[in-house]
Amino acid sequence: MIRRLDLLDTADDGITESEVFRLALQHSIAELGCVGGAVYLRGPMSALRLVSSTGLPSSVTRAWEIVDQDGPTATARAVRSGEHVWVAALPADLAEPSAPLLSRSGWFSVPLAYEGRVIGAITCLTGDNEEPTSEQWTFLTSVAEWTTNRLKKMPAPERLRTDLDATPVGSWEWDVRTGELKWDQVAMKVYQTEPGEFVPGVETWMKVVHPDDLATTLAAVERTIRTHTPFEAEYRVRRGDGGYTWTRASGHVVLDDEGQVTRVVGKGWASDAARSTRDTLSRALRHMSDAFLSVDDDWRITFANLEAERILGSADEQLFGRNLWHLPALRHVPDLEERCRRDAAQSTAAGFDITLADTGRCYDLRIVPVPGGLTVYFTDVTDRRRREAEAAAAIRAAAERASRTAELTTQLAAATTSEDVVRAVAERVLPPFGAQGLLVLVLEDQRLVHIGSVGYPSSFLQHMQGAHGRDLSDAGAAGQAILTGEPCFCSSREEWATAFPDADSLPPTDKEAWAFLPLTATGHTFGVCVIAFDTVRHLTAEERTLLITISALVAHALERARLYEAELTRSEELQQALLPRELPTVPEATVTARYLPAGGTSDVGGDWYDLIPLSAGQVALVVGDVMGHGLSEAATMGRLRTALHTLAALELPPDEIMGHLNDIVGGLGEHAYATCLYALYDSTDGSCVMVRAGHPPPLVVRPDGSAHFPEVAVNPPLGAAFPPFETTELHLPAESLLVLYTDGLVESPQREIDQGMTQLAGLLGGEAGSPDLEVLCDSVTAGLLPGGPTADDAALLIARLHHVADRQVASWALPEGPEAAGEARRHVREQLAQWHLEDLVMTTELLASELVGNVIRHASGPIGLRLLCSGTLVCEVSDASLTMPRIRRATDTDEGGRGLQLINALCERWGSRYTPEGKAIWTEQTLPGMEEPADEDRADGVGPPGSSGPAS
């Protein structure tokens, strides 16, 4: 409340009296939540006149412009008592309906006191029929005081210019039954009648009324008597000089106990001033700049100004009485009648746009309800709508560009390669600018190298000298953009020729306009983005600014992409260095493998595979997976692979090897884990000892095509296990496929590992006889990873296992005495003669004799001799001792210590391993001139097995 009073105090001192009343009413209504209100001022005799209203329709206020000061209304009571008055909602059967604005809501009124005299009142209609609180009464009283204080500050001629002292109001009463008419003294003056000439009959009134107005006025009286509605009329009255003056009258009926009309009472006053005002208003409407029409309730035109006549193409007399939508100018406006009636039914001002077919001009047609009809305004908005459409189109274009820029920013943020950046620019930049060509060049060793393009022919790319690029000094506009760091815009070939007179610099393309945008990041210009157009294109200043802004985004994205690509290249090189360059060729198995790095990341993975040749027809097949991605995981993988090679070379049992690996991983930290599957295959008897630590089981495909996952004992992952590790021994038929893999091959966010393993078995089932393992490996990776790399890297190793034929192996038990050496030499001579290896007899005899002699001298137990011819010639001597031989340097005076040195000099390689009965010492020699046997020989077990293919 206080804020409203403070706001009222800020009103200018020069505001008019009507503005004072309007402000007082608006703040009173707003503060108390009223539905309407009015200000009444005291007039002559017992009349109160309405001088201002807010929120009340004219159909109500017209009947109560004059209020009896002696009546029961809240307004009259407040004026009489000088105090605020509350009147609750009146009952419907009120005997004296003289209160203004009757309703089902309550009324309150506060007096306006001026120089000790009550001159009027502020009256408001409540919406909830509740009396104001004491605080609200205080606020209303303050508003009334503010109103009268403002009236005091006005100049004397302007103050209370609406006071009824200047407008006499007379009272009249007509007895309907007797015809008697009573006028007071003021009424005599209003109706230009001397008291001595007055005859108390209705005929006296009829004599002074203008003949043209008499019929309509009598009809209004008859309607009031018949319907009991308020009486209101305006008519001319004859003056004493023979002329006429305009008057207005209002009244209401008085009913008897039976509800019959007995009297009509009312007021009358001169209305020449108001009439003059209306005439002035009519002239203003006639000549106003907007077209103005007045129509009745049936939509017939009753008034049209000059602009309406011009727009509608008809004079006023041709428009009068015609229906609005039947006019020729409006006849072809779609749905005009429906839209007009719909808006008029809302009882509030409404409008819509129409376009006249004859002129093509657009007009804002606005319909405003008024008593007795409607007013219709036509405002020419053609230029405004065109400007709005242009502004809207510009806003839409800007919004679309902003949206595409946001999309471009998002796509560039996700770009990881130069191709991704070029694709994003082509998709998000070329269309909104209407461009057809894109060329991205980067600076490498003072040459511009093309890294991506769209819409350029191959001849132009050849002109750019392909991946070798062009010298920066010979690159024309592109080179200038890089050297200066400033963009260059050529709207046509003529502009290009003017800017670069050298004819050789004109590109051999059909493009007509270009934008050369330097690519600058971290203060360094490293390239240029060329956007080209097929037609002449003059870019606006806003478009050029936007392209320059976009080029900055592209530069940073391209810089990140190039750094990513360099990092990715280094990561791939590191990954390849950590994996086997190629798998060794061994007669025990034909092996091929694949490694698929994880997609969408530059981090190297921890998956690996390996094939390790061992002694006496044995080979180790390994696959492993270090948990996680990154350099530390790759380093862990390299450590494990190196350690595994070392441990396998010592020919330790698989469970011991896995125990040592577990110690290594456990020493890397509590969060280091790895899985591994180690398979030791012996081609002499087809046995395969497996140990797996948290790794998926192997897949075995038998020669008959059946595929299954053998039951291999499960151990915890490396780093979480507690030795000893449990092993499983399998016997695999010759030419079986042994498939090792990591979980990245069979498991993904869209597929459970069990489903992937089933799919793997389905892909390899029946493929045991596939002649090309390389093709088979590719088909497996394509079937399991059709979309390329996933979130995890994957490794796959497929081995076709071979058996050594019986005729390629010979073994003997030797006596434990000194004669064992001679017997060993004899067995060697005889067996090598059968194998046609006479060239190796002498060396092999010496090796066998030395190995047997060491056993006799340093070991004990049964002595065994075995010869194996499978790609190489292996001579192996076994005993029951667990003491391993160690080579050492013998001095000149030592009697022993030279046997192992001799063995090391005579054979290709040698070693020892533990056996279930003790140990075995073996040597290996290369077969002289040994050629790979044919497939049929291998199937028959004749000759050494063939070699395996290389891994990839």
Side-chain angles (χ1 to χ4, degrees):
M1 296 182 183
I2 295 176
R3 290 183 179 178
R4 291 190 181 277
L5 294 175
D6 293 341
L7 186 61
L8 287 173
D9 288 337
T10 62
D12 296 334
D13 292 338
I15 61 175
T16 62
E17 177 185 292
S18 60
E19 182 70 8
V20 171
F21 293 148
R22 184 184 66 81
L23 287 173
L25 277 177
Q26 287 180 345
H27 283 280
S28 298
I29 292 172
E31 184 62 38
L32 275 72
C34 300
V35 298
V39 176
Y40 284 86
L41 294 183
R42 175 179 280 172
M45 301 182 67
S46 61
L48 293 171
R49 183 178 179 185
L50 176 68
V51 295
S52 181
S53 66
T54 298
L56 301 176
S58 57
S59 59
V60 176
T61 58
R62 278 199 309 270
W64 305 107
E65 291 181 348
I66 305 298
V67 173
D68 188 356
Q69 182 176 321
D70 298 325
T73 64
T75 304
R77 291 167 57 184
V79 172
R80 291 198 305 269
S81 65
E83 298 178 352
H84 59 75
V85 175
W86 160 255
V87 177
L90 297 174
D93 57 350
L94 181 66
E96 180 61 42
S98 58
L101 314 177
L102 293 178
S103 72
R104 296 184 180 179
S105 298
W107 290 86
F108 62 82
S109 183
V110 292
L112 295 173
Y114 182 77
E115 296 180 351
R117 173 174 172 264
V118 177
I119 62 170
I122 298 176
T123 304
C124 294
L125 170 64
T126 65
D128 52 11
N129 196 27
E130 292 185 1
E131 181 179 359
T133 64
S134 59
E135 291 82 1
Q136 291 173 332
W137 280 124
T138 301
F139 170 76
L140 293 169
T141 303
S142 299
V143 172
E145 292 176 354
W146 176 86
T147 303
T148 55
N149 289 336
R150 282 289 179 170
L151 295 178
K152 291 177 183 179
K153 296 178 181 180
M154 292 182 181
E158 295 296 329
R159 188 170 62 246
L160 301 180
R161 57 188 177 86
T162 55
D163 196 296
L164 290 186
D165 291 337
T167 307
V169 178
S171 299
W172 51 265
E173 181 179 330
W174 177 41
D175 191 325
V176 176
R177 295 176 179 176
T178 64
E180 181 183 9
L181 178 64
K182 296 179 182 180
W183 285 351
D184 62 9
Q185 293 296 323
V186 180
M188 298 284 186
K189 294 180 181 180
V190 171
Y191 295 119
Q192 306 290 317
T193 302
E194 294 294 332
E197 299 176 358
F198 177 72
V199 177
V202 73
E203 293 80 3
T204 302
W205 170 77
M206 296 175 65
K207 290 178 181 179
V208 300
V209 177
H210 193 289
D212 292 343
D213 300 334
L214 184 59
T216 57
T217 306
L218 289 175
V221 174
E222 175 62 26
R223 183 168 58 251
T224 297
I225 295 173
R226 185 177 68 255
T227 62
H228 301 178
T229 56
F231 166 72
E232 181 182 5
E234 186 174 20
Y235 48 88
R236 289 165 287 183
V237 174
R238 186 176 63 247
R239 298 194 302 266
D241 60 2
Y244 288 88
T245 182
W246 283 95
T247 65
R248 289 190 66 183
S250 63
H252 55 273
V253 298
V254 178
L255 307 178
D256 58 15
D257 295 339
E258 297 179 356
Q260 298 298 318
V261 177
T262 60
R263 292 175 298 149
V264 180
V265 297
K267 309 290 183 181
W269 63 94
S271 62
D272 273 334
R275 191 77 183 187
S276 176
T277 300
R278 288 196 296 272
D279 291 342
T280 302
L281 178 61
S282 178
R283 287 193 298 274
L285 290 174
R286 180 71 177 164
H287 295 278
M288 69 184 294
S289 59
D290 289 342
F292 175 81
L293 295 174
S294 177
V295 299
D296 60 16
D297 291 335
D298 295 326
W299 295 89
R300 292 189 299 267
I301 298 174
T302 59
F303 175 83
N305 69 353
L306 295 176
E307 182 64 15
E309 294 176 8
R310 185 189 68 79
I311 293 175
L312 300 177
S314 302
D316 181 45
E317 58 272 12
Q318 295 174 325
L319 296 174
F320 187 80
R322 300 190 65 179
N323 191 280
L324 181 63
W325 38 77
H326 292 164
L327 298 176
L330 302 177
R331 188 176 300 160
H332 300 293
V333 177
D335 304 322
L336 178 62
E337 179 179 358
E338 178 184 351
R339 296 162 73 184
C340 286
R341 292 187 182 277
R342 182 178 64 247
D343 288 354
Q346 299 177 6
S347 300
T348 57
F352 51 87
D353 284 1
I354 63 171
T355 301
L356 300 186
D358 295 341
T359 63
R361 305 292 292 180
C362 179
Y363 293 89
D364 175 27
L365 189 151
R366 189 164 181 80
I367 299 173
V368 180
V370 297
L374 301 158
T375 57
V376 183
Y377 299 84
F378 290 82
T379 304
D380 192 335
V381 293
T382 305
D383 295 337
R384 186 196 309 170
R385 294 293 184 263
R386 185 185 67 253
R387 290 192 297 270
E388 291 174 352
E390 292 173 353
I395 292 174
R396 286 194 301 271
E400 182 178 358
R401 285 195 295 268
S403 175
R404 287 183 178 270
T405 302
E407 294 172 354
L408 172 64
T409 302
T410 303
Q411 195 165 344
L412 289 177
T416 56
T417 65
S418 300
E419 292 181 359
D420 294 340
V421 175
V422 173
R423 186 184 307 108
V425 176
E427 294 176 355
R428 303 298 181 186
V429 178
L430 299 190
F433 287 92
Q436 292 77 34
L438 172 66
L439 181 68
V440 180
L441 306 171
V442 296
L443 190 61
E444 294 183 1
D445 298 328
Q446 296 302 307
R447 298 185 68 83
L448 280 182
V449 178
H450 156 259
I451 63 170
S453 65
V454 172
Y456 277 94
S458 58
S459 60
F460 178 79
L461 300 180
Q462 292 175 359
H463 176 75
M464 294 301 299
Q465 299 181 14
H468 300 290
R470 299 187 62 185
D471 190 86
L472 182 61
S473 60
D474 189 35
Q480 180 180 352
I482 293 181
L483 292 174
T484 63
E486 297 292 333
C488 177
F489 299 95
C490 295
S491 302
S492 63
R493 285 181 171 260
E494 290 73 16
E495 286 192 17
W496 179 298
T498 303
F500 307 98
D502 184 5
D504 293 339
S505 67
L506 197 63
T509 71
D510 57 353
K511 300 292 186 288
E512 297 291 336
W514 300 265
F516 295 88
L517 307 172
L519 300 176
T520 304
T522 62
H524 170 63
T525 301
F526 64 90
V528 61
C529 176
V530 184
I531 296 177
F533 304 85
D534 288 344
T535 59
V536 174
R537 181 73 159 83
H538 295 277
L539 295 170
T540 66
E542 181 183 358
E543 289 175 326
R544 294 187 179 193
T545 301
L546 183 58
L547 282 176
I548 293 173
T549 303
I550 289 174
S551 69
L553 298 175
V554 174
H556 285 86
L558 191 59
E559 184 75 2
R560 291 193 306 270
R562 297 181 71 200
L563 291 175
Y564 171 84
E565 289 173 334
E567 182 67 22
L568 181 61
T569 300
R570 287 193 294 269
S571 299
E572 290 176 347
E573 292 175 352
L574 174 61
Q575 184 72 58
Q576 293 300 322
L578 293 174
L579 289 172
R581 293 184 179 275
E582 62 180 14
L583 293 176
T585 299
V586 295
E588 292 81 12
T590 304
V591 183
T592 187
R594 294 288 184 273
Y595 172 79
L596 290 84
T601 176
S602 62
D603 287 338
V604 292
D607 290 15
W608 90 94
Y609 59 85
D610 220 332
L611 175 68
I612 305 174
L614 299 176
S615 64
Q618 293 182 329
V619 64
L621 302 102
V622 190
V623 67
D625 182 4
V626 177
M627 304 300 181
H629 294 85
L631 292 177
S632 62
E633 284 74 13
T636 300
M637 181 264 283
R639 292 178 183 179
L640 293 179
R641 183 166 175 263
T642 301
L644 188 60
H645 268 268
T646 302
L647 295 170
L650 296 176
E651 299 197 69
L652 298 177
D655 55 335
E656 292 188 24
I657 291 177
M658 202 64 73
H660 289 299
L661 294 181
N662 182 70
D663 294 338
I664 294 174
V665 176
L668 298 177
E670 60 180 359
H671 298 295
Y673 298 100
T675 65
C676 183
L677 174 60
Y678 182 91
L680 177 61
Y681 173 65
D682 190 340
S683 63
T684 61
D685 57 4
S687 66
C688 184
V689 179
M690 296 186 182
V691 56
R692 66 177 178 128
H695 204 83
L699 174 67
V700 174
V701 182
R702 294 182 177 275
D704 60 2
S706 61
H708 73 286
F709 295 94
E711 294 291 336
V712 178
V714 181
N715 297 281
L718 300 177
F722 296 94
F725 284 82
E726 184 178 357
T727 62
T728 301
E729 183 173 353
L730 304 176
H731 290 275
L732 303 177
E735 306 307 311
S736 295
L737 294 183
L738 179 62
V739 183
L740 309 184
Y741 54 92
T742 60
D743 57 355
L745 184 70
V746 294
E747 186 179 25
S748 69
Q750 296 77 30
R751 181 178 58 200
E752 296 292 336
I753 189 170
D754 292 341
Q755 297 174 334
M757 292 170 59
T758 302
Q759 188 175 354
L760 173 64
L763 291 171
L764 288 173
E767 297 293 338
S770 177
D772 193 341
L773 292 186
E774 295 287 342
V775 175
L776 182 60
C777 209
D778 290 336
S779 66
V780 170
T781 56
L784 290 173
L785 302 174
T790 60
D792 192 12
D793 51 346
L796 171 66
L797 185 145
I798 301 179
R800 174 175 285 118
L801 305 178
H802 307 305
H803 282 192
V804 176
D806 293 341
R807 64 179 59 189
Q808 293 177 278
V809 180
S811 60
W812 302 269
L814 300 179
E816 297 184 18
E819 67 276 11
E823 189 170 341
R825 289 193 293 272
R826 179 174 58 81
H827 291 315
V828 167
R829 286 194 302 272
E830 293 175 354
Q831 188 62 47
L832 293 185
Q834 295 181 15
W835 288 342
H836 307 291
L837 295 176
E838 289 83 355
D839 293 343
L840 296 180
V841 171
M842 184 178 297
T843 303
T844 308
E845 282 184 341
L846 184 57
L847 291 173
S849 179
E850 185 64 31
L851 292 176
V852 172
N854 284 338
V855 171
I856 295 173
R857 183 176 180 182
H858 301 290
S860 62
I863 303 175
L865 172 66
R866 186 171 68 156
L867 295 178
L868 173 64
C869 184
S870 174
T872 61
L873 177 62
V874 177
C875 177
E876 181 181 281
V877 175
S878 61
D879 59 58
S881 173
L882 297 178
T883 302
M884 289 295 181
R886 295 223 186 326
I887 190 171
R888 61 185 179 85
R889 178 177 294 275
T891 65
D892 294 340
T893 59
D894 289 341
E895 295 184 0
R898 295 178 179 80
L900 292 180
Q901 294 182 11
L902 179 63
I903 291 174
N904 189 57
L906 294 176
C907 65
E908 188 73 22
R909 64 189 187 109
W910 69 276
S912 60
R913 69 176 184 278
Y914 290 107
T915 65
E917 295 81 15
K919 71 174 182 295
I921 305 174
W922 54 268
T923 64
E924 186 176 288
Q925 302 173 76
T926 303
L927 298 178
M930 187 66 180
E931 297 181 358
E932 183 174 344
D935 290 341
E936 57 270 17
D937 292 338
R938 177 177 299 165
D940 294 337
V942 179
S947 62
S948 65
S952 62

